[in-house]
């Protein structure tokens, strides 16, 4: 279920429950093969931390269950209000990098990459990062 649109003008706290597809579930041991999948919980936590660092959202608490996860999230319009367009563009390029480092992480954006984003007449990227959508 997609997250609802969040107002940029007020702080909103919401609770989400998301189901995971069978192949991505966090079961400890696969009964058919005996393989351990505990490492997937770390992947999910790392991804949540990354997304919270890009968007102005606090993850107040979470629980990763075997076939779903629970999240309590809070929007931060006070943080968004302080962002310049350049900071929003940097966050966009962390989420959708033009280049990657050798370890697979997003490379630090260059000035031409930032200018390419900042000079776009369509400002959908600004709204997407600022609204958390």
């Amino acid at each position: 279920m997609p997250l609802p649109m969040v107002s940029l003008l007020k702080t909103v706290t919401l609770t989400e429950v998301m189901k995971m597809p069978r192949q991505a579930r966090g079961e400890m041991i696969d009964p058919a093969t005996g393989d351990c999948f505990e490492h997937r919980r770390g992947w999910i936590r790392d991804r949540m931390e990354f997304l919270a660092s890009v968007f102005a959202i606090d993850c107040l608490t979470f629980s990763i269950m075997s076939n779903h996860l629970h999240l309590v999230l809070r929007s931060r319009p006070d943080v968004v209000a302080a962002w310049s367009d350049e900071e929003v563009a940097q966050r966009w390029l962390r989420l959708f990098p033009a280049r990657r480092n050798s370890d697979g992480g997003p490379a630090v954006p260059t000035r031409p990459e930032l200018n390419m984003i900042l000079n776009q007449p369509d400002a959908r990227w600004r709204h997407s990062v600022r609204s958390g959508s």
Side-chain angles (χ1 to χ4, degrees), residues 60-133:
L60 302 178
T61 187
F62 67 93
S63 178
I64 302 171
M65 310 303 281
S66 65
N67 65 347
H68 65 284
L69 57 102
H70 296 263
L71 301 168
V72 178
L73 306 171
R74 179 178 59 194
S75 65
R76 296 294 309 270
D78 55 324
V79 172
V80 171
W83 289 349
S84 67
D85 280 351
E86 184 162 333
E87 184 169 356
V88 174
Q90 288 174 346
R91 289 171 181 274
W92 179 262
L93 288 171
R94 282 181 51 210
L95 192 60
F96 302 107
R99 296 172 298 108
R100 293 195 174 271
N101 295 327
S102 59
D103 67 353
V108 176
T110 63
R111 176 51 50 191
E113 290 169 346
L114 286 171
N115 287 339
M116 183 178 69
I117 298 289
L118 290 168
N119 295 330
Q120 287 184 4
D122 183 358
R124 277 186 280 176
W125 58 272
R126 287 183 187 95
H127 177 73
S128 293
V129 172
R130 286 187 168 135
S131 69
S133 60

Side-chain angles (χ1 to χ4, degrees), residues 41-53 94-96 100:
R41 292 176 193 247
W43 290 351
I44 294 168
R45 181 185 176 131
D46 291 346
R47 187 64 178 171
M48 287 189 312
E49 287 176 359
F50 170 73
L51 292 172
S53 75
R94 282 181 51 210
L95 192 60
F96 302 107
R100 293 195 174 271

